[in-house]
Amino acid sequence: MQAQVTDSKLRQLLTRLSTRDIKIISQIGQEAICYIKTLPTAVNASQATISRTISRLEKDGLVAKYRNINNDKELLVRLTEIGQTIAELHTQLDQQLATDLESIAADYSPEELQRFTELMQRINQHQLPAIK
């Protein structure tokens, strides 16, 4: 993603972001109204991890937290302009990756792709023996 960025401030921010940070930013960007309490399920992280990450992203100027005007107990989050830029870059990168993978997959028959998928599922399900 950094190769596509010419803005030095944005490039510096990107070097500090983890994959999870970018996933959270992208998730926030996909929702018109993003309740912080929905993020753990959406990105498969604990509430504590989300809270720490949101606080750090807010400090970095990527998100802004605010309270629901109808329910003061509910916290919402939105992307700032630079956060939105990162979310858009991530979307572009995902789209390019999908296009590239479709191009690669086009060289194989549906049966070969099915067989490969089955192999990857078996590898993913394989558990290493416990160390004694």
Side-chain angles (χ1 to χ4, degrees), residues 10-92:
L10 182 56
R11 184 180 282 280
Q12 186 179 27
L13 276 170
L14 286 171
T15 63
R16 295 196 320 254
L17 296 176
S18 69
T19 303
R20 178 173 285 154
D21 295 341
I22 293 172
K23 188 174 183 180
I24 291 169
I25 289 168
S26 292
Q27 182 64 36
I28 295 167
Q30 291 174 17
E31 301 181 33
I33 297 173
C34 185
Y35 292 89
I36 290 178
K37 68 181 179 183
T38 66
L39 287 172
T41 303
V43 299
N44 194 25
S46 70
Q47 183 63 49
T49 298
I50 294 297
S51 294
R52 282 191 305 270
T53 302
I54 293 296
S55 292
R56 188 170 33 76
L57 294 176
E58 184 177 39
K59 183 180 172 190
D60 287 341
L62 301 175
V63 301
K65 292 190 285 190
Y66 58 101
R67 295 204 178 272
N68 184 342
I69 58 173
N70 298 321
N71 182 349
D72 196 46
K73 293 181 181 180
E74 288 185 323
L75 277 175
L76 294 96
V77 65
R78 65 170 179 76
L79 295 176
T80 61
E81 187 176 328
I82 196 162
Q84 187 62 44
T85 299
I86 290 171
E88 289 167 5
L89 285 170
H90 183 256
T91 298
Q92 290 171 11

